[in-house]
Amino acid sequence: MLKSDGPLADEEWIIMKTHTLIGESVLGALDVERDLESDMVAKAIRIAGGHHEKWDGSGYPRGLQGAAIPLEARIMALADIYDALVSKRVYKKSWTHDEAVNEILSKKGSHFDPEVVDAFMSELDSFKAISEQYQDR
């Protein structure tokens, strides 16, 4: 389904959006001892379940808004979008680093936590270097 060379149909989009809850459920089923590792799993659960929430409450799966979205998920949301934009996909060409930055800036305060965007802006060189190092060839 996600390898489609065009837009997803409504039914496909509904199915695709379940990946947040499925990931959250799989991670929640892990049988780990309660120590530092379990804290990492707890963070992973929050990321899986919340990385498609939007600062303005228009995201999914729960429609969380603002600080109700776990910080880990707010950070991952921005990193996920940056990676999706600068990476080539079967349905799109890769964007330049500057195009991706401009897109993220345009969604500051709506899609993204303004403070997370500010942190991103202070690390632009790092994001660019990592994306160039791991770009699809």
Side-chain angles (χ1 to χ4, degrees), residues 40-77:
M40 181 175 61
V41 173
K43 289 178 183 178
I45 291 168
R46 292 190 293 270
I47 289 169
H51 73 283
H52 284 292
E53 299 290 358
K54 295 182 181 177
W55 187 250
D56 65 5
S58 67
Y60 65 89
R62 295 178 178 90
L64 299 178
Q65 182 177 15
I69 305 165
L71 178 59
E72 302 91 340
R74 288 181 264 153
I75 294 167
M76 182 57 74

mmCIF file of all heavy atoms in Angstrom, residues 40-77:
data_model
loop_
_atom_site.group_PDB
_atom_site.id
_atom_site.type_symbol
_atom_site.label_atom_id
_atom_site.label_comp_id
_atom_site.label_asym_id
_atom_site.label_seq_id
_atom_site.Cartn_x
_atom_site.Cartn_y
_atom_site.Cartn_z
ATOM 1 N N MET A 40 13.131 3.550 28.528
ATOM 2 C CA MET A 40 13.323 3.712 27.095
ATOM 3 C C MET A 40 12.111 3.168 26.335
ATOM 4 O O MET A 40 11.635 3.786 25.376
ATOM 5 C CB MET A 40 14.596 2.985 26.642
ATOM 6 C CG MET A 40 14.871 3.143 25.169
ATOM 7 S SD MET A 40 16.428 2.417 24.632
ATOM 8 C CE MET A 40 16.191 0.709 25.045
ATOM 9 N N VAL A 41 11.585 2.031 26.778
ATOM 10 C CA VAL A 41 10.400 1.467 26.141
ATOM 11 C C VAL A 41 9.205 2.397 26.332
ATOM 12 O O VAL A 41 8.426 2.612 25.401
ATOM 13 C CB VAL A 41 10.110 0.039 26.660
ATOM 14 C CG1 VAL A 41 8.776 -0.479 26.136
ATOM 15 C CG2 VAL A 41 11.237 -0.912 26.267
ATOM 16 N N ALA A 42 9.069 2.980 27.513
ATOM 17 C CA ALA A 42 7.965 3.916 27.763
ATOM 18 C C ALA A 42 8.052 5.109 26.812
ATOM 19 O O ALA A 42 7.035 5.558 26.270
ATOM 20 C CB ALA A 42 7.985 4.384 29.212
ATOM 21 N N LYS A 43 9.257 5.605 26.597
ATOM 22 C CA LYS A 43 9.431 6.709 25.641
ATOM 23 C C LYS A 43 9.081 6.267 24.235
ATOM 24 O O LYS A 43 8.434 7.004 23.484
ATOM 25 C CB LYS A 43 10.860 7.241 25.701
ATOM 26 C CG LYS A 43 11.149 8.011 26.965
ATOM 27 C CD LYS A 43 12.587 8.477 27.020
ATOM 28 C CE LYS A 43 12.833 9.190 28.346
ATOM 29 N NZ LYS A 43 14.213 9.634 28.479
ATOM 30 N N ALA A 44 9.505 5.063 23.867
ATOM 31 C CA ALA A 44 9.193 4.543 22.534
ATOM 32 C C ALA A 44 7.683 4.406 22.339
ATOM 33 O O ALA A 44 7.164 4.686 21.251
ATOM 34 C CB ALA A 44 9.896 3.206 22.313
ATOM 35 N N ILE A 45 6.984 3.988 23.379
ATOM 36 C CA ILE A 45 5.523 3.873 23.308
ATOM 37 C C ILE A 45 4.903 5.252 23.058
ATOM 38 O O ILE A 45 4.013 5.403 22.219
ATOM 39 C CB ILE A 45 4.960 3.233 24.595
ATOM 40 C CG1 ILE A 45 5.361 1.761 24.666
ATOM 41 C CG2 ILE A 45 3.439 3.397 24.679
ATOM 42 C CD1 ILE A 45 5.113 1.120 26.024
ATOM 43 N N ARG A 46 5.390 6.264 23.768
ATOM 44 C CA ARG A 46 4.855 7.625 23.580
ATOM 45 C C ARG A 46 5.163 8.144 22.173
ATOM 46 O O ARG A 46 4.338 8.840 21.567
ATOM 47 C CB ARG A 46 5.401 8.557 24.655
ATOM 48 C CG ARG A 46 4.866 8.233 26.050
ATOM 49 C CD ARG A 46 5.192 9.288 27.085
ATOM 50 N NE ARG A 46 6.609 9.403 27.394
ATOM 51 C CZ ARG A 46 7.236 8.720 28.354
ATOM 52 N NH1 ARG A 46 6.562 7.863 29.104
ATOM 53 N NH2 ARG A 46 8.523 8.917 28.585
ATOM 54 N N ILE A 47 6.334 7.813 21.663
ATOM 55 C CA ILE A 47 6.685 8.235 20.297
ATOM 56 C C ILE A 47 5.786 7.539 19.286
ATOM 57 O O ILE A 47 5.210 8.192 18.403
ATOM 58 C CB ILE A 47 8.171 7.943 19.995
ATOM 59 C CG1 ILE A 47 9.070 8.894 20.792
ATOM 60 C CG2 ILE A 47 8.457 8.049 18.497
ATOM 61 C CD1 ILE A 47 10.542 8.526 20.776
ATOM 62 N N ALA A 48 5.657 6.222 19.402
ATOM 63 C CA ALA A 48 4.841 5.468 18.444
ATOM 64 C C ALA A 48 3.404 5.980 18.419
ATOM 65 O O ALA A 48 2.822 6.171 17.344
ATOM 66 C CB ALA A 48 4.861 3.972 18.792
ATOM 67 N N GLY A 49 2.849 6.222 19.572
ATOM 68 C CA GLY A 49 1.452 6.636 19.642
ATOM 69 C C GLY A 49 1.200 8.098 19.332
ATOM 70 O O GLY A 49 0.078 8.469 18.998
ATOM 71 N N GLY A 50 2.226 8.933 19.428
ATOM 72 C CA GLY A 50 1.982 10.365 19.306
ATOM 73 C C GLY A 50 2.701 11.108 18.207
ATOM 74 O O GLY A 50 2.513 12.317 18.062
ATOM 75 N N HIS A 51 3.500 10.423 17.387
ATOM 76 C CA HIS A 51 4.310 11.163 16.417
ATOM 77 C C HIS A 51 3.529 11.741 15.238
ATOM 78 O O HIS A 51 4.078 12.512 14.465
ATOM 79 C CB HIS A 51 5.505 10.322 15.943
ATOM 80 C CG HIS A 51 5.161 9.194 15.020
ATOM 81 N ND1 HIS A 51 4.598 8.017 15.464
ATOM 82 C CD2 HIS A 51 5.322 9.066 13.689
ATOM 83 C CE1 HIS A 51 4.421 7.212 14.423
ATOM 84 N NE2 HIS A 51 4.850 7.829 13.339
ATOM 85 N N HIS A 52 2.244 11.435 15.132
ATOM 86 C CA HIS A 52 1.410 12.058 14.099
ATOM 87 C C HIS A 52 0.365 13.013 14.686
ATOM 88 O O HIS A 52 -0.524 13.486 13.977
ATOM 89 C CB HIS A 52 0.745 11.009 13.211
ATOM 90 C CG HIS A 52 1.689 10.416 12.224
ATOM 91 N ND1 HIS A 52 2.212 11.132 11.172
ATOM 92 C CD2 HIS A 52 2.243 9.181 12.143
ATOM 93 C CE1 HIS A 52 3.034 10.359 10.482
ATOM 94 N NE2 HIS A 52 3.069 9.168 11.058
ATOM 95 N N GLU A 53 0.502 13.300 15.970
ATOM 96 C CA GLU A 53 -0.323 14.357 16.559
ATOM 97 C C GLU A 53 0.241 15.698 16.095
ATOM 98 O O GLU A 53 1.411 15.789 15.735
ATOM 99 C CB GLU A 53 -0.287 14.278 18.089
ATOM 100 C CG GLU A 53 -0.813 12.975 18.675
ATOM 101 C CD GLU A 53 -2.317 12.781 18.535
ATOM 102 O OE1 GLU A 53 -3.015 13.681 18.006
ATOM 103 O OE2 GLU A 53 -2.798 11.724 18.962
ATOM 104 N N LYS A 54 -0.591 16.711 16.058
ATOM 105 C CA LYS A 54 -0.151 18.048 15.631
ATOM 106 C C LYS A 54 -0.391 19.051 16.753
ATOM 107 O O LYS A 54 -1.364 18.938 17.501
ATOM 108 C CB LYS A 54 -0.894 18.480 14.361
ATOM 109 C CG LYS A 54 -0.559 17.614 13.168
ATOM 110 C CD LYS A 54 -1.272 18.105 11.923
ATOM 111 C CE LYS A 54 -0.959 17.210 10.734
ATOM 112 N NZ LYS A 54 -1.702 17.654 9.540
ATOM 113 N N TRP A 55 0.480 20.024 16.832
ATOM 114 C CA TRP A 55 0.441 21.033 17.885
ATOM 115 C C TRP A 55 -0.945 21.660 18.013
ATOM 116 O O TRP A 55 -1.414 21.957 19.106
ATOM 117 C CB TRP A 55 1.514 22.082 17.603
ATOM 118 C CG TRP A 55 1.687 23.092 18.689
ATOM 119 C CD1 TRP A 55 1.344 24.411 18.644
ATOM 120 C CD2 TRP A 55 2.268 22.873 19.983
ATOM 121 N NE1 TRP A 55 1.664 25.028 19.833
ATOM 122 C CE2 TRP A 55 2.247 24.101 20.677
ATOM 123 C CE3 TRP A 55 2.800 21.765 20.627
ATOM 124 C CZ2 TRP A 55 2.730 24.248 21.968
ATOM 125 C CZ3 TRP A 55 3.283 21.906 21.918
ATOM 126 C CH2 TRP A 55 3.248 23.146 22.568
ATOM 127 N N ASP A 56 -1.634 21.855 16.876
ATOM 128 C CA ASP A 56 -2.945 22.514 16.896
ATOM 129 C C ASP A 56 -4.107 21.555 17.167
ATOM 130 O O ASP A 56 -5.270 21.960 17.166
ATOM 131 C CB ASP A 56 -3.186 23.278 15.594
ATOM 132 C CG ASP A 56 -3.294 22.392 14.356
ATOM 133 O OD1 ASP A 56 -3.288 21.142 14.478
ATOM 134 O OD2 ASP A 56 -3.360 22.955 13.251
ATOM 135 N N GLY A 57 -3.802 20.272 17.388
ATOM 136 C CA GLY A 57 -4.849 19.303 17.706
ATOM 137 C C GLY A 57 -5.459 18.604 16.508
ATOM 138 O O GLY A 57 -6.359 17.781 16.672
ATOM 139 N N SER A 58 -4.974 18.877 15.304
ATOM 140 C CA SER A 58 -5.574 18.294 14.099
ATOM 141 C C SER A 58 -4.943 16.967 13.679
ATOM 142 O O SER A 58 -5.307 16.429 12.636
ATOM 143 C CB SER A 58 -5.497 19.292 12.936
ATOM 144 O OG SER A 58 -4.140 19.502 12.551
ATOM 145 N N GLY A 59 -4.045 16.416 14.488
ATOM 146 C CA GLY A 59 -3.375 15.172 14.122
ATOM 147 C C GLY A 59 -4.152 13.933 14.545
ATOM 148 O O GLY A 59 -5.319 14.001 14.934
ATOM 149 N N TYR A 60 -3.469 12.810 14.482
ATOM 150 C CA TYR A 60 -4.078 11.534 14.857
ATOM 151 C C TYR A 60 -3.068 10.720 15.641
ATOM 152 O O TYR A 60 -1.893 11.028 15.620
ATOM 153 C CB TYR A 60 -4.561 10.774 13.604
ATOM 154 C CG TYR A 60 -3.467 10.325 12.638
ATOM 155 C CD1 TYR A 60 -2.836 9.085 12.782
ATOM 156 C CD2 TYR A 60 -3.057 11.142 11.588
ATOM 157 C CE1 TYR A 60 -1.831 8.682 11.921
ATOM 158 C CE2 TYR A 60 -2.064 10.732 10.715
ATOM 159 C CZ TYR A 60 -1.453 9.509 10.880
ATOM 160 O OH TYR A 60 -0.458 9.109 10.014
ATOM 161 N N PRO A 61 -3.458 9.744 16.413
ATOM 162 C CA PRO A 61 -4.761 9.083 16.451
ATOM 163 C C PRO A 61 -5.735 9.665 17.475
ATOM 164 O O PRO A 61 -6.917 9.354 17.449
ATOM 165 C CB PRO A 61 -4.406 7.638 16.853
ATOM 166 C CG PRO A 61 -3.221 7.785 17.737
ATOM 167 C CD PRO A 61 -2.450 8.962 17.155
ATOM 168 N N ARG A 62 -5.258 10.533 18.376
ATOM 169 C CA ARG A 62 -6.130 10.993 19.470
ATOM 170 C C ARG A 62 -6.515 12.468 19.383
ATOM 171 O O ARG A 62 -7.293 12.939 20.185
ATOM 172 C CB ARG A 62 -5.443 10.716 20.810
ATOM 173 C CG ARG A 62 -5.261 9.245 21.085
ATOM 174 C CD ARG A 62 -4.527 8.992 22.393
ATOM 175 N NE ARG A 62 -4.422 7.560 22.609
ATOM 176 C CZ ARG A 62 -3.406 6.815 22.174
ATOM 177 N NH1 ARG A 62 -2.397 7.367 21.523
ATOM 178 N NH2 ARG A 62 -3.392 5.510 22.396
ATOM 179 N N GLY A 63 -5.963 13.187 18.445
ATOM 180 C CA GLY A 63 -6.264 14.612 18.345
ATOM 181 C C GLY A 63 -5.715 15.414 19.513
ATOM 182 O O GLY A 63 -6.297 16.432 19.896
ATOM 183 N N LEU A 64 -4.585 14.960 20.081
ATOM 184 C CA LEU A 64 -3.974 15.700 21.187
ATOM 185 C C LEU A 64 -3.486 17.057 20.702
ATOM 186 O O LEU A 64 -3.169 17.234 19.530
ATOM 187 C CB LEU A 64 -2.803 14.905 21.777
ATOM 188 C CG LEU A 64 -3.143 13.541 22.371
ATOM 189 C CD1 LEU A 64 -1.868 12.856 22.856
ATOM 190 C CD2 LEU A 64 -4.158 13.659 23.487
ATOM 191 N N GLN A 65 -3.393 17.997 21.634
ATOM 192 C CA GLN A 65 -3.009 19.364 21.283
ATOM 193 C C GLN A 65 -1.936 19.858 22.243
ATOM 194 O O GLN A 65 -1.964 19.559 23.439
ATOM 195 C CB GLN A 65 -4.233 20.274 21.356
ATOM 196 C CG GLN A 65 -3.962 21.703 20.956
ATOM 197 C CD GLN A 65 -5.237 22.533 20.973
ATOM 198 O OE1 GLN A 65 -6.264 22.142 21.520
ATOM 199 N NE2 GLN A 65 -5.168 23.697 20.367
ATOM 200 N N GLY A 66 -1.001 20.657 21.713
ATOM 201 C CA GLY A 66 -0.013 21.335 22.532
ATOM 202 C C GLY A 66 0.776 20.403 23.419
ATOM 203 O O GLY A 66 1.196 19.318 23.024
ATOM 204 N N ALA A 67 0.959 20.842 24.662
ATOM 205 C CA ALA A 67 1.773 20.101 25.617
ATOM 206 C C ALA A 67 1.157 18.758 26.018
ATOM 207 O O ALA A 67 1.833 17.954 26.665
ATOM 208 C CB ALA A 67 2.025 20.956 26.857
ATOM 209 N N ALA A 68 -0.081 18.488 25.632
ATOM 210 C CA ALA A 68 -0.674 17.171 25.887
ATOM 211 C C ALA A 68 0.004 16.091 25.037
ATOM 212 O O ALA A 68 -0.068 14.913 25.361
ATOM 213 C CB ALA A 68 -2.179 17.195 25.613
ATOM 214 N N ILE A 69 0.656 16.510 23.972
ATOM 215 C CA ILE A 69 1.420 15.577 23.136
ATOM 216 C C ILE A 69 2.751 15.340 23.850
ATOM 217 O O ILE A 69 3.445 16.297 24.195
ATOM 218 C CB ILE A 69 1.677 16.157 21.731
ATOM 219 C CG1 ILE A 69 0.367 16.567 21.058
ATOM 220 C CG2 ILE A 69 2.464 15.164 20.872
ATOM 221 C CD1 ILE A 69 0.556 17.471 19.839
ATOM 222 N N PRO A 70 3.124 14.090 24.079
ATOM 223 C CA PRO A 70 4.397 13.837 24.754
ATOM 224 C C PRO A 70 5.564 14.510 24.009
ATOM 225 O O PRO A 70 5.598 14.520 22.772
ATOM 226 C CB PRO A 70 4.532 12.316 24.716
ATOM 227 C CG PRO A 70 3.129 11.811 24.585
ATOM 228 C CD PRO A 70 2.414 12.851 23.763
ATOM 229 N N LEU A 71 6.486 15.076 24.764
ATOM 230 C CA LEU A 71 7.627 15.774 24.168
ATOM 231 C C LEU A 71 8.379 14.894 23.181
ATOM 232 O O LEU A 71 8.741 15.352 22.090
ATOM 233 C CB LEU A 71 8.576 16.281 25.254
ATOM 234 C CG LEU A 71 9.843 16.985 24.753
ATOM 235 C CD1 LEU A 71 9.504 18.205 23.902
ATOM 236 C CD2 LEU A 71 10.730 17.364 25.932
ATOM 237 N N GLU A 72 8.586 13.623 23.533
ATOM 238 C CA GLU A 72 9.297 12.721 22.626
ATOM 239 C C GLU A 72 8.593 12.637 21.276
ATOM 240 O O GLU A 72 9.243 12.594 20.228
ATOM 241 C CB GLU A 72 9.383 11.307 23.222
ATOM 242 C CG GLU A 72 10.057 11.212 24.567
ATOM 243 C CD GLU A 72 9.112 11.332 25.757
ATOM 244 O OE1 GLU A 72 7.986 11.857 25.588
ATOM 245 O OE2 GLU A 72 9.501 10.911 26.853
ATOM 246 N N ALA A 73 7.272 12.596 21.299
ATOM 247 C CA ALA A 73 6.495 12.506 20.067
ATOM 248 C C ALA A 73 6.558 13.810 19.273
ATOM 249 O O ALA A 73 6.601 13.790 18.036
ATOM 250 C CB ALA A 73 5.049 12.145 20.384
ATOM 251 N N ARG A 74 6.589 14.947 19.968
ATOM 252 C CA ARG A 74 6.702 16.237 19.277
ATOM 253 C C ARG A 74 8.037 16.342 18.547
ATOM 254 O O ARG A 74 8.114 16.876 17.437
ATOM 255 C CB ARG A 74 6.552 17.394 20.258
ATOM 256 C CG ARG A 74 5.122 17.573 20.751
ATOM 257 C CD ARG A 74 5.019 18.749 21.705
ATOM 258 N NE ARG A 74 5.097 18.253 23.075
ATOM 259 C CZ ARG A 74 5.541 18.943 24.108
ATOM 260 N NH1 ARG A 74 6.015 20.171 23.953
ATOM 261 N NH2 ARG A 74 5.540 18.417 25.305
ATOM 262 N N ILE A 75 9.089 15.858 19.191
ATOM 263 C CA ILE A 75 10.413 15.873 18.561
ATOM 264 C C ILE A 75 10.425 14.931 17.357
ATOM 265 O O ILE A 75 10.891 15.291 16.266
ATOM 266 C CB ILE A 75 11.497 15.487 19.586
ATOM 267 C CG1 ILE A 75 11.599 16.571 20.666
ATOM 268 C CG2 ILE A 75 12.847 15.251 18.899
ATOM 269 C CD1 ILE A 75 12.408 16.162 21.890
ATOM 270 N N MET A 76 9.897 13.714 17.544
ATOM 271 C CA MET A 76 9.882 12.738 16.458
ATOM 272 C C MET A 76 9.030 13.219 15.289
ATOM 273 O O MET A 76 9.361 12.956 14.124
ATOM 274 C CB MET A 76 9.387 11.380 16.951
ATOM 275 C CG MET A 76 9.404 10.300 15.873
ATOM 276 S SD MET A 76 11.035 10.046 15.120
ATOM 277 C CE MET A 76 11.852 9.184 16.442
ATOM 278 N N ALA A 77 7.951 13.921 15.568
ATOM 279 C CA ALA A 77 7.091 14.426 14.492
ATOM 280 C C ALA A 77 7.892 15.301 13.534
ATOM 281 O O ALA A 77 7.796 15.157 12.310
ATOM 282 C CB ALA A 77 5.916 15.205 15.073
#
